[in-house]
Structure formats: C-alpha cells, structure tokens
Amino acid sequence: MEMTERHFLNKEISQTDLIKSAYRLMFTAKSLTDLYEKEKKITSKYVHATSRGHEAIQLALGMQLLPQDFVSPYYRDDSILLGIGITPYELMLQLLAKRDDPFSGGRTYYAHPSLKRDDFPKIIHQSSGTGMQAIPTTGIAMGMKYKEEIGIAGNLNDKPIAVCSLGDASCTEGEVSEAFQMAALKQLPILYLVQDNEWDISASADEIRAQDITKYMQGFNGIETRTIDGTDFIKSYETVKECIKIIREERRPMLIHAKVPLLNHHTSGVRKEWYRDDLEECAKNDPLIKLRNKLSKFNIEDSEVQTIEKEVAELVRTDFENAVLAEDPKPEDTYKHDFAPTPITEEKGERSPSGKIPTVMVDCALFAIRELMTKHPEALLYGQDVGLRLGGVFREAITLAAQFGEKRVFNTPIQEAFIVGSTVGMSAVGLKPIVEVQFADYIWPGLNQLFTEVSRSYYLSNGKWPVSMILRVPIGAYGSGGPYHSSSVESVLTNIKGIKIAYPSTGADLKGLMKAAFYDPNPVVMLEHKGLYWSKIEGTENAKTIEPDEDYIIPFGKAREVLLCENRQDKPTLTIITYGMGVYWASNAAKEFDNQIEIIDLRTLAPLDENRVFESVNKHNRCIVLTEEPVNNSFAQSLAARISDNCFRHMDAPVKVVGAKDLPAIPINSELEKEMLPNTEKLIKEIEQLLKY
Ligand SMILES: Cc1ncc(C[n+]2csc(CCOP(=O)(O)OP(=O)(O)O)c2C)c(N)n1
Ligand SMILES: [Mg+2]
C-alpha cells in the first residue's frame, strides 16, 4: 500500500476501489491496536492511544485532504494519519520514539504529528493539551482568509482548508470556545471534527457537559453543524465530502459531530477494564465490522478481503520488527532546533541620523511597524482596541488601521489565548503576525498558548515549524496604575524556553529591536515599559531618542553600555546590570557618585549578553542587578546567581539584587506603590552600602 492509497484522490476511482482502500486502512488501524496490545512490554514504554472505534470518520476525513490543506489531529487520530498516507512504519517510529520518527525525531508521543511534506496535507506541531489545537488551527484558517483578502494567496483551483479534530470532552475547554467565536465571527474556512465517544478518560458525558456539541454550536452564529454516526464509513465519507466542498467554495466554518464508541483503552496507561461498564455495548458498534459486512455489496469477494487482511497483518508485523531495530536518537540530537537561525547578527544602519528631532519611545515603535507593514504584505497587527477608532489604549498603533486598512490592522475580542495562540497558525501559512495584549497584567490568559503551543513548536516538530511572531506587551508601573495595570512579568516569561524576549529602554533600541524581531523566525515578546513610552516620568527623558533610520537594526543578545567608568585605585566602583525602568533609576543614582558607577542595559533578556555582563562585573568587582520585579525567585536573582558562578574570584562583595518588595500586587495608593517599588533614592542607599563593603 504505502503512498498509493492516497493517490486515488488524483484519479477517478470507482466506489469499489475507494471502499477497498478504506477497508485496508481500517484493518491496518485495528492491526496496529492489536499489535501494540500484544507487544505491550515493548510498546508501552511510552504512552500511546489508538483510534479503535473512531476509524471510520477519521479515515473519511484523512482520505479527502489535499496537500494545500492543514489538519490538526489529536492523540487518538492515528487513522487520520493513515488516511493521509502515513505508513504504519512511520507511526511506529514515533511510538518507539526513534530517531527517524518523521514528526518529532523521538521527542514527542505517538500520534502527536507535525508534517511539512510537499505532497501531503500539512500538520503544525500538535501538543497533548486537550483542545489546545483549536486556537492555532483556527489561526491557520484566519491566515488563509487574510491571504485571500489581500491578494497574496496564489491561484489554486481547490482553495485550502484547515481541519481541527477534537475529542468531545476537550470542547468544554474555554479556549476552544475562543476559537469557535473567531471562526464564526470571521467566517473562516475551517472544519471542526468532534469525535464524541462520551468519555473524558473516566468521566462520563453526564458528569462533564450540560449539552453535546451539536447543541453547543447553536450558540455560535454561522457555524453549520452536521451530526452523524461516525462508525458508518460511507455516511462519514459523504458528509466530510459535502462539508469540505462547502468550505472550499464558500469559505465558511463547519462542524461535524461524529458519534463513535471508544473500543480501546483511553491510553496504554489508563486501561478500559479498570472502569468501563459499556464495553459490550460499544463492541456492537465496531466500525470495522460494519464496513466488512458491507463489502459484498460492493462486489468485493471474501477471498479478496482475506488477502487484504493477510497483507496488512504481515506489513504491520514487519514494520514493527523494523521499527524496533531502528536507530534511537543520539544524545547530541537533544540540542537541535531550540531556535531557528536568525539572519540578524549585527547592528546595522544609522542609529542617530542627523536632522531628526527626538521622538518618544511609543512613536519609535509605531514608526518601526509602519515601515515593516509598508514593505511586507505578510505583516499584520491585531489585538484589543488596536483598530481604527483608538489605535491602542496607548495609541501605540494609531494611524496604522487608517493607512493599511482594517484587514491588516484589526480589533480582536478580549481573548488573550486566541491573540497569542493564533500566531502559530498565521505563521504556518507564511504570515508575520504582530499582536499585543493590552497590559502585561493580562498576559496570563494567553500564557498557556505561549507555553504549550508557541514556544515548543519548533523544538517538538524537530525544526519544521518555527513560529514567527511578535507579541507586544506594555509592562511596568506607571502613574498609580494599581494592582492590575502595573505588573512586571518577565520572570515568568524568561522561564519559558523557546521564545526570545526584548525589554528595550529607549526609542532607538525599541525601533532597532522591533526590526530584529520581525526578521527573526522565532517567537519574540517585546516588553515595552509604559512609563517610558512618553518619557513623562521625571528622569526618563533619555528614553526619547532620535528616531533611527529605516534600515537600523539591533541583533538580540547585545547589551548596551549606558554609562562606563574606569576601575579606580583610589575608590571602589561598581556595575549595575539592569533593563527597562531600571536604566533610569541607575542613571539618576549614578549622578550622586564620583565616576564610580557603570551601567549595562541588557536590552534583551533572552538571549542574554552574558559575556558583556561578566566583563563589566569582572572589571568592577562589585555588582548590583536591578529589577522592577519582586526580588525572590526573579529573573534578576537567577542572573545574580550566574554572575556569582562565573565571576566569584573577581568579586569584592556579594552580588546584590535590588528590586521590588516581595508582595502579591502593586497597591494603587501612590504612597504604598512607592513603598513597594524600587526608585533612585532607594538605589542610592544600596549603592552606598555595596561600595562600603
Ligand atoms: C489541558 C489538559 N488537561 C488534561 C489532560 C489530560 N487528559 C488527556 S486526555 C483527556 C480526556 C479527553 O477526552 P476527549 O477530548 O473526549 O478525547 P478522548 O480521549 O475521549 O478521545 C484528559 C483529561 C490534558 N491532556 N490536557
Ligand atoms: Mg471523549
């Protein structure tokens, strides 16, 4: 069989041949399940689930997808994978976490695919978080529609569609409804397939939902639903065919609610005999038996069926033996594909062109984005209130919608998860989304997508799917913003591997880093301090700079020397390693000392310019790491530990971390706020102490 099974798509084939192919694949799925069970000593080393009971609807879908389509199967969808043409051998390479596992190179579980082959439907990285694929996959459909609307989609006869497969219980996740909302609102070309086996591991439907997905969808205007028996291959095939045709032609979302029995274990680790009392009942509804009973109607002789079954059983057995022998990943493979290589490695262009007047930081960002969007139709900006009427609550996107139109700059609902997670799909179809959450305090609902989907896509797809996006996050305390408009969150972000993080402290840096972020194929978070946006706070005037030229760009991982001083014989000196608002507390404090202070602005927190930091610390032998965050367990504290590790022999005093008090929130009262946060006066005292040490 191998690839030939799927190529009937390109040919006119008879219904008999179609049914024969389907039966062969369905029998393959069953043989896999049986084999995994029989060989469980070997196969259950790593957890896996199989599609038994769900095969008919899965094959009906997989067999009809085209290479221009995207599909997001979930962990029970091994029959979708067989349907698109993945071989049992390839599936088993992932089952056994082998080096040649085509999806992840042995990094992630069975039936957690990602695929980027020319002649196959595309699959972005699939996580294990139930329902988490809904937002990234809806982002794909949003990207497809965007490309069509602005005229960069190319000219395919069959327009591409996105398909998102979901278990029934996963649909109760809040994020899934964010995806439905956007698909309905924007009428996106996506098919949701919900496989309803009425189980959520051991929790039954009556325990976990007030209505099934058919009823639930009535709340989403404009997503048409088909409710079917997902064990009936022919009915499933026809329904999928009809839905795909509608989506390809009419560019609107649809949902198939397929009722199916779960015949195998939940997973290899959670076994059906522990808690199921419906197994006999379910067995009556076996899609394989149903299809087999129909084969004679299509003039498929019993002898032929037996030949198919024999061939499949042999193939599956041989594939297994070969897969067991296949090479394991090498230890050095562990380090591959943490980040895609960026072309931006050097500072270039004119940072302070003559004849220009100083520009506030917020406008430097705005102008950077304007230049990028003028040049790149694949660039678009979305988030809350960034559209035409307001241009962002900080007016950081003002004029952009007027200039580029409401297709390229638009408001989203209050859906931080969607804002962040949709970029995975947008990036997969070749776009460069620039998105924003309104305040750092509201990044939390988006954090799951950032961690689960965005940050791991490149690594877990073994280098196939970098997520190229920029997430703008206004951050920091400014003018008694209170507990929900003042927070700093960089420690949480720097704990997420697989993303880059900039925290510029001047307009020129913000512009240069925004450009670097744009050309970086990896996800980038831009932390933009609200208190520096307009330099309105006394002592932050230097955040306002000459606006650099269009081609000015700063690589990530290069710190800025804000203030240099010599190591002196007569007096102790120290270096302050900081970023964001800390740069100004440090600059103002330094004025109280006699050329004793050096200041290094990190500019990017990930990657971090460790070498420049260590060099400065080794030169002065005393160091303060200054942050706006509460000190304990912070990014700053961990940097201090790294400095101690590396510079210990040069130090004349312990590394000191100066930051906010360890409290749950920043109070709104201005005196309380002042008490909690660091400032220049408090820093001066710390410097005096450390110089005396
Ligand atoms: C966000 C999240 N929470 C919990 C889990 C653990 N978990 C794995 S599968 C599962 C049940 C999912 O049921 P359903 O979506 O109906 O799919 P089914 O397994 O029945 O096909 C749960 C709770 C998870 N993977 N992700
Ligand atoms: Mg279920």
Side-chain angles (χ1 to χ4, degrees):
M1 49 177 260
E2 266 78 6
M3 308 250 163
T4 52
E5 290 300 335
R6 60 186 306 274
H7 288 303
F8 68 82
L9 275 174
N10 304 326
K11 298 180 215 141
E12 285 297 314
I13 64 154
S14 67
Q15 203 175 26
T16 300
D17 285 346
L18 170 66
I19 299 294
K20 230 186 271 178
S21 291
Y23 186 72
R24 183 186 285 275
L25 291 171
M26 213 182 281
F27 194 78
T28 307
K30 174 180 157 42
S31 306
L32 291 175
T33 296
D34 292 349
L35 176 98
Y36 298 169
E37 188 64 19
K38 189 155 171 245
E39 300 286 353
K40 65 171 177 279
K41 271 207 181 113
I42 299 173
T43 63
S44 62
K45 176 171 183 192
Y46 306 114
V47 69
H48 61 265
T50 70
S51 56
R52 275 297 278 138
H54 296 217
E55 309 91 311
I57 180 66
Q58 290 186 17
L59 289 171
L61 174 72
M63 291 167 78
Q64 300 190 68
L65 295 175
L66 299 176
Q68 60 268 43
D69 297 332
F70 277 74
V71 58
S72 290
Y74 78 105
Y75 54 79
R76 196 174 300 295
D77 280 334
D78 59 3
S79 288
I80 292 186
L81 298 174
L82 291 171
I84 67 170
I86 300 294
T87 64
Y89 179 67
E90 290 176 305
L91 290 177
M92 288 189 258
L93 288 175
Q94 190 173 44
L95 178 83
L96 302 168
K98 297 292 190 171
R99 188 166 203 234
D100 290 337
D101 149 28
F103 307 128
S104 74
R107 288 179 175 184
T108 193
Y109 322 88
Y110 182 68
H112 283 59
S114 56
L115 198 69
K116 203 181 202 171
R117 288 182 188 158
D118 286 346
D119 52 348
F120 277 65
K122 309 295 175 279
I123 307 178
I124 56 172
H125 156 251
Q126 297 300 317
S127 74
S128 274
T130 48
M132 301 309 153
Q133 71 276 32
I135 285 176
T137 313
T138 305
I140 294 173
M142 192 159 93
M144 288 171 173
K145 181 134 181 179
Y146 171 82
K147 285 167 73 177
E148 287 160 24
E149 282 178 340
I150 69 154
I152 57 169
N155 235 344
L156 281 174
N157 275 341
D158 291 311
K159 290 192 178 152
I161 66 165
V163 179
C164 179
S165 174
L166 295 153
D168 57 306
S170 76
C171 296
T172 60
E173 287 273 4
E175 287 189 3
V176 177
S177 76
E178 290 193 16
F180 289 156
Q181 181 72 245
M182 284 302 276
L185 177 70
K186 304 243 161 200
Q187 289 293 286
L188 302 178
I190 185 164
L191 172 64
Y192 297 103
L193 168 62
V194 177
Q195 298 172 56
D196 185 359
N197 58 24
E198 301 192 354
W199 283 108
D200 167 11
I201 308 189
S202 74
S204 55
D206 57 327
E207 287 176 278
I208 57 126
R209 68 192 196 205
Q211 64 287 304
D212 70 10
I213 195 69
T214 298
K215 189 88 188 290
Y216 190 50
M217 288 325 283
Q218 290 170 8
F220 294 91
N221 272 337
I223 304 185
E224 210 178 307
T225 300
R226 299 278 183 274
T227 311
I228 59 164
D229 172 1
T231 65
D232 179 339
F233 176 76
I234 294 166
K235 176 72 193 164
S236 296
Y237 193 89
E238 281 166 0
T239 307
V240 169
K241 189 172 183 179
E242 183 211 356
C243 291
I244 288 183
K245 184 171 183 327
I246 292 174
I247 301 168
R248 279 203 208 291
E249 289 170 5
E250 298 176 30
R251 312 312 274 157
R252 62 184 172 90
M254 297 201 69
L255 183 140
I256 297 176
H257 174 189
K259 299 190 177 183
V260 287
L262 180 61
L263 298 182
N264 196 22
H265 308 294
H266 168 69
T267 63
S268 51
V270 182
R271 307 188 66 82
K272 54 187 176 183
E273 56 278 4
W274 296 347
Y275 60 92
R276 295 272 301 270
D277 52 11
D278 63 339
L279 289 168
E280 255 175 58
E281 199 54 36
C282 282
K284 291 182 198 156
N285 220 0
D286 184 338
L288 183 76
I289 297 176
K290 285 185 175 175
L291 186 61
R292 198 183 201 284
N293 290 340
K294 280 194 190 140
L295 294 178
S296 60
K297 273 204 216 147
F298 294 94
N299 302 321
I300 305 170
E301 304 282 333
D302 208 46
S303 59
E304 199 177 346
V305 178
Q306 283 171 18
T307 310
I308 292 175
E309 291 178 351
K310 191 163 161 278
E311 282 171 7
V312 166
E314 277 167 15
L315 173 85
V316 164
R317 173 50 58 188
T318 328
D319 277 1
F320 181 68
E321 281 159 13
N322 290 333
V324 169
L325 295 177
E327 182 188 19
D328 275 319
K330 298 186 177 17
E332 59 267 31
D333 295 337
T334 317
Y335 304 99
K336 284 184 190 150
H337 307 307
D338 54 346
F339 287 102
T342 176
I344 309 304
T345 52
E346 271 175 68
E347 184 170 356
K348 280 190 184 151
E350 188 59 57
R351 182 176 169 98
S352 294
S354 55
K356 274 190 171 176
I357 51 160
T359 304
V360 291
M361 198 161 124
V362 71
D363 285 345
C364 284
L366 176 70
F367 299 153
I369 290 179
R370 187 157 75 194
E371 287 166 359
L372 288 164
M373 289 189 69
T374 304
K375 224 175 178 172
H376 300 282
E378 71 274 20
L380 69 163
L381 176 80
Y382 55 97
Q384 290 151 32
D385 297 296
V386 301
L388 188 63
R389 274 185 218 104
L390 192 59
V393 288
F394 301 103
R395 317 311 294 271
E396 72 285 1
I398 198 162
T399 67
L400 293 178
Q403 186 173 349
F404 298 105
E406 291 177 88
K407 299 276 179 243
R408 296 188 63 196
V409 181
F410 56 88
N411 292 333
T412 62
I414 311 168
Q415 297 189 333
E416 287 78 10
F418 187 88
I419 292 169
V420 173
S422 59
T423 62
V424 174
M426 294 292 246
S427 159
V429 298
L431 300 173
K432 183 77 195 199
I434 305 170
V435 298
E436 70 172 54
V437 298
Q438 214 154 47
F439 296 88
D441 308 71
Y442 304 124
I443 200 170
W444 306 106
L447 218 56
N448 174 46
Q449 284 288 320
L450 191 64
F451 180 84
T452 309
E453 306 294 338
V454 175
S455 75
R456 300 173 151 202
S457 171
Y458 188 63
Y459 187 73
L460 289 179
S461 67
N462 212 13
K464 289 194 292 289
W465 295 107
V467 178
S468 190
M469 60 88 93
I470 300 176
L471 172 58
R472 297 183 65 186
V473 184
I475 192 169
Y478 166 61
S480 293
Y484 290 93
H485 299 84
S486 309
S487 302
S488 292
V489 298
E490 57 270 25
S491 291
V492 170
L493 295 171
T494 50
N495 250 294
I496 302 176
K497 312 303 165 190
I499 60 174
K500 297 190 180 181
I501 302 163
Y503 201 150
S505 67
T506 72
D509 284 347
L510 179 50
K511 189 171 183 199
L513 289 167
M514 188 75 84
K515 293 286 170 82
F518 188 87
Y519 296 107
D520 198 307
N522 301 286
V524 176
V525 180
M526 299 291 297
L527 300 175
E528 303 175 19
H529 201 295
K530 304 192 291 284
L532 301 179
Y533 263 167
W534 303 276
S535 291
K536 277 190 193 161
I537 299 175
E538 206 190 317
T540 64
E541 295 75 19
N542 287 345
K544 196 169 157 180
T545 62
I546 300 287
E547 185 211 344
D549 270 352
E550 179 167 359
D551 58 359
Y552 178 66
I553 198 155
I554 307 171
F556 274 52
K558 290 269 184 291
R560 180 170 69 96
E561 294 156 358
V562 180
L563 182 66
L564 294 180
C565 84
E566 292 308 315
N567 181 324
R568 299 163 52 163
Q569 298 302 317
D570 59 330
K571 281 181 174 177
T573 56
L574 67 76
T575 183
I576 301 177
I577 311 298
T578 190
Y579 55 93
M581 189 58 87
V583 169
Y584 299 94
W585 294 325
S587 301
N588 295 322
K591 292 177 192 152
E592 304 301 313
F593 299 87
D594 170 26
N595 282 324
Q596 287 172 281
I597 311 295
E598 184 154 301
I599 303 169
I600 302 293
D601 175 3
L602 294 172
R603 288 205 290 212
T604 65
L605 309 186
L608 187 65
D609 194 350
E610 276 188 351
N611 290 342
R612 188 65 194 86
V613 170
F614 297 156
E615 191 189 319
S616 179
V617 175
N618 288 341
K619 177 169 149 201
H620 295 288
N621 326 107
R622 287 164 211 261
C623 166
I624 288 177
V625 183
L626 173 62
T627 175
E628 188 171 326
E629 283 190 304
V631 170
N632 283 341
N633 307 321
S634 62
F635 162 78
Q637 204 172 44
S638 104
L639 175 56
R642 269 194 269 181
I643 293 170
S644 297
D645 249 11
N646 280 275
C647 309
F648 181 73
R649 275 177 297 160
H650 295 265
M651 303 299 291
D652 290 338
V655 182
K656 178 76 192 166
V657 182
V658 176
K661 298 290 185 311
D662 275 296
L663 293 166
I666 301 172
I668 193 164
N669 175 282
S670 54
E671 285 308 308
L672 300 183
E673 181 195 57
K674 189 171 160 204
E675 181 62 28
M676 176 168 173
L677 292 176
N679 59 29
T680 302
E681 292 71 45
K682 293 182 194 178
L683 180 62
I684 290 170
K685 291 202 181 103
E686 299 285 358
I687 295 173
E688 284 167 349
Q689 290 295 318
L690 199 65
L691 287 174
K692 272 192 239 152
Y693 189 95

